Amino acid sequence: MVAPGSVTSRLGSVFPFLLVLVDLQYEGAECGVNADVEKHLELGKKLLAAGQLADALSQFHAAVDGDPDNYIAYYRRATVFLAMGKSKAALPDLTKVIELKMDFTAARLQRGHLLLKQGKLDEAEDDFKKVLKSNPSENEEKEAQAQLIKSDEMQRLRSQALDAFESSDYTAAITFLDKILEVCVWDAELRELRAECFIKEGEPRKAISDLKAASKLKNDNTEAFYKISTLYYQLGDHELSLSEVRECLKLDQDHKRCFAHYKQVKKLNKLIESAEELIRDGRYTEATSKYESVMKTEPSVSEYTIRSKERICHCFSKDEKPVEAIRVCSEVLQMEPDNVNALKDRAEAYLIEEMYDEAIQDYETAQEHNENDQQIREGLEKAQRLLKQSQKRDYYKILGVKRNAKKQEIIKAYRKLALQWHPDNFQNEEEKKKAEKKFIDIAAAKEVLSDPEMRKKFDDGEDPLDAETQQGGGGNPFHRSWNSWQGFNPFSSGGPFRFKFHFN
């Protein structure tokens, strides 16, 4: 009996005729083996049944070396190769078994099955027909008949697939090839043919999957590696393209197309890596220049143009160049309306430009496509706070500066406005009151925007001088009468109450 969980049991469930391995009795006289070979065979059989495949293989190697004409040693070694998933190694051993013992139907059935998987339909049919002529057991006869029917069906489907391909009916060809490859799973040529159909149908990733399988099924398949590399390149995946073309050159360093493609991909890859390093270092202007070079290096593949513009949009946004950022981000979004990165970067640029409604709209669109992105959620909340804030007092507008203004610009704007609106400049009581209010707002704006901590609060949508937004606040310190401000020098370098300032 065979243990239900053994390797042989598992193999037998797939290939019933393999059970002959366990029941196959070695006849020393017939095979002419010596005692050492017999020992290796018996020990190998036990190890195989126990699932110790590597150890079993070593024993069968020794048996073959000890008696190169022993068909049982070859057959058992082939079975171990199959259990290890090494069908290519198993096939020569099965062929050797058949050469040594022509009527060994189990080996011929197994070889026919492997040939069918490889798509070698004529050779497989020949094995199945010979099994039927060799006085097989009932189970072997049923298996051979079933495999012959299956092989005939594959022949018909292959013919239909080739006709459809020649007629440029790639959808039909794919349908036929799908059915064939369910049986002929190791047929490299058919996988390459289906890959061509996928390329024609605009499905490059499916083509890549088939070509990767073909590169493993066929030795030195430089053509498959070249096609995989070019497909990745067209998809904008320069790193994987570079990896695959290197595999081609490992097989043939003089491969002209692979070498030419390698130089192009390597140049592009170097530019992109350099640009990303500059972005990490905050050198956005230089990074923008690099990505402009990327577009010039590869103008024919739209994916690189889109990705380059996406990164340039990011650089402009981070470099606080909102006008340029909005322009380039909008170009990206015309091509890819759902590009989350471009939406986030344009929203940030809109915030700098105080276009809060537009920023909110971009953040909301981005959130629809990536609801778990914390950056989007925080950006949207900030934009909503700033919109609400803009409907109240806006310190940037009071001083007439941009949100990305430097401290020196803020001080300069403050001094100019403080001089203009100082109440001492006005004699009319009504104008003086208006100037007092204006001057207080200017002083408050300068106080908030020149203090990094207070400015950050304001930029986050919170007015640090608004009693309503401050927990336990005691009111706005700037909301007092003009008398409190007498003697305030807008040109001092210190606090607001140090020097008296008079206007003539």
Side-chain angles (χ1 to χ4, degrees), residues 45-57:
K45 186 172 74 170
K46 290 178 182 178
L47 291 167
L48 173 59
Q52 298 176 4
L53 301 181
D55 293 335
L57 187 61

Side-chain angles (χ1 to χ4, degrees), residues 32-177:
V33 282
N34 57 40
D36 286 338
V37 172
E38 180 180 359
K39 183 180 178 182
H40 288 308
L41 287 173
E42 289 303 315
L43 181 55
K45 186 172 74 170
K46 290 178 182 178
L47 291 167
L48 173 59
Q52 298 176 4
L53 301 181
D55 293 335
L57 187 61
S58 297
Q59 294 298 323
F60 294 140
H61 281 323
V64 168
D65 291 340
D67 185 0
D69 294 326
N70 188 318
Y71 70 90
I72 298 174
Y74 286 107
Y75 185 70
R76 290 183 178 171
R77 187 169 72 174
T79 305
V80 178
F81 279 137
L82 289 172
M84 297 173 81
K86 299 179 179 180
S87 59
K88 286 184 180 179
L91 202 54
D93 274 1
L94 291 170
T95 299
K96 187 67 176 177
V97 172
I98 294 166
E99 288 176 2
L100 293 170
K101 189 170 178 59
M102 297 288 291
D103 61 347
F104 196 163
T105 53
R108 197 177 285 279
L109 265 176
Q110 180 59 67
R111 188 176 72 171
H113 190 85
L114 294 179
L115 291 169
L116 184 60
K117 284 191 169 187
Q118 290 181 344
K120 297 177 180 178
L121 303 180
D122 292 336
E123 296 175 47
E125 285 184 2
D126 184 60
D127 269 345
F128 297 137
K129 287 175 181 177
K130 285 181 178 176
V131 168
L132 294 174
K133 294 177 181 179
S134 62
N135 193 27
S137 67
E138 183 179 348
N139 285 339
E140 290 172 339
E141 183 176 1
K142 286 181 180 179
E143 180 67 24
Q145 289 283 12
Q147 294 298 318
L148 265 177
I149 293 170
K150 189 180 290 185
S151 181
D152 287 341
E153 175 68 6
M154 295 306 103
Q155 293 276 25
R156 183 181 63 80
L157 287 170
R158 175 183 279 179
S159 177
Q160 290 176 310
L162 292 173
D163 288 343
F165 183 81
E166 291 298 323
S167 302
S168 300
D169 188 353
Y170 304 113
T171 302
I174 290 169
T175 301
F176 293 131
L177 289 166

Side-chain angles (χ1 to χ4, degrees), residues 250-267:
K250 284 180 185 177
L251 297 172
D252 182 3
Q253 61 182 0
D254 297 321
H255 195 289
K256 290 183 179 180
R257 287 188 298 166
C258 282
F259 185 68
H261 185 60
Y262 169 75
K263 289 195 295 183
Q264 173 71 2
V265 183
K266 189 177 180 182
K267 180 180 179 181

Side-chain angles (χ1 to χ4, degrees), residues 415-478:
R415 287 175 175 171
K416 179 181 177 182
L417 291 170
L419 181 61
Q420 178 184 347
W421 290 99
H422 197 289
D424 287 353
N425 290 338
F426 301 90
Q427 301 304 318
N428 181 282
E429 279 303 313
E430 189 174 333
E431 290 181 351
K432 195 178 189 71
K433 286 181 180 179
K434 180 181 177 182
E436 286 176 3
K437 183 179 183 305
K438 189 80 172 176
F439 189 87
I440 290 171
D441 284 343
I442 293 166
K446 181 259 183 185
E447 184 72 6
V448 170
L449 299 184
S450 60
D451 182 287
E453 186 176 340
M454 294 176 75
R455 183 176 180 178
K456 184 179 185 305
K457 283 186 177 182
F458 186 75
D459 286 344
D460 288 339
E462 175 187 341
D463 187 344
L465 302 182
D466 187 347
E468 292 181 7
T469 63
Q470 303 299 307
Q471 290 185 354
N476 189 337
F478 287 88

Side-chain angles (χ1 to χ4, degrees), residues 159-318:
S159 177
Q160 290 176 310
L162 292 173
D163 288 343
F165 183 81
E166 291 298 323
S167 302
S168 300
D169 188 353
Y170 304 113
T171 302
I174 290 169
T175 301
F176 293 131
L177 289 166
D178 286 345
K179 293 177 181 177
I180 302 171
L181 287 166
E182 287 177 5
V183 176
C184 306
V185 291
W186 300 331
D187 192 322
E189 284 75 16
L190 290 182
R191 288 197 177 273
E192 289 173 342
L193 182 63
R194 189 169 67 174
E196 284 299 314
C197 294
F198 282 136
I199 292 170
K200 298 290 186 181
E201 289 291 289
E203 297 187 82
R205 294 199 180 277
K206 289 184 178 180
I208 287 171
S209 178
D210 268 342
L211 288 168
K212 282 191 172 182
S215 70
K216 295 174 183 177
L217 292 168
K218 188 191 295 184
N219 293 330
D220 300 332
N221 197 343
T222 55
E223 187 64 22
F225 285 116
Y226 173 73
K227 286 183 178 179
I228 295 168
S229 179
T230 56
L231 287 171
Y232 274 133
Y233 188 78
Q234 294 294 324
L235 289 168
D237 200 329
H238 55 96
E239 292 177 334
L240 284 176
S241 178
L242 188 61
S243 174
E244 295 296 332
V245 79
R246 280 174 173 157
E247 291 300 318
C248 174
L249 292 172
K250 284 180 185 177
L251 297 172
D252 182 3
Q253 61 182 0
D254 297 321
H255 195 289
K256 290 183 179 180
R257 287 188 298 166
C258 282
F259 185 68
H261 185 60
Y262 169 75
K263 289 195 295 183
Q264 173 71 2
V265 183
K266 189 177 180 182
K267 180 180 179 181
L268 195 72
N269 189 64
K270 187 176 180 181
L271 281 171
I272 293 172
E273 284 183 346
S274 176
E276 287 302 308
E277 186 175 346
L278 289 167
I279 290 174
R280 286 192 292 272
D281 293 341
R283 296 158 65 183
Y284 300 114
T285 301
E286 294 169 74
T288 297
S289 178
K290 287 288 184 184
Y291 271 114
E292 287 171 349
S293 296
V294 169
M295 289 189 285
K296 291 176 183 175
T297 300
E298 186 44 85
S300 60
V301 180
S302 61
E303 190 66 23
Y304 293 106
T305 299
I306 296 172
R307 295 286 79 79
S308 295
K309 287 190 174 184
E310 179 187 318
R311 299 306 281 160
I312 290 171
C313 147
H314 178 73
C315 290
F316 281 142
S317 180
K318 292 299 180 186

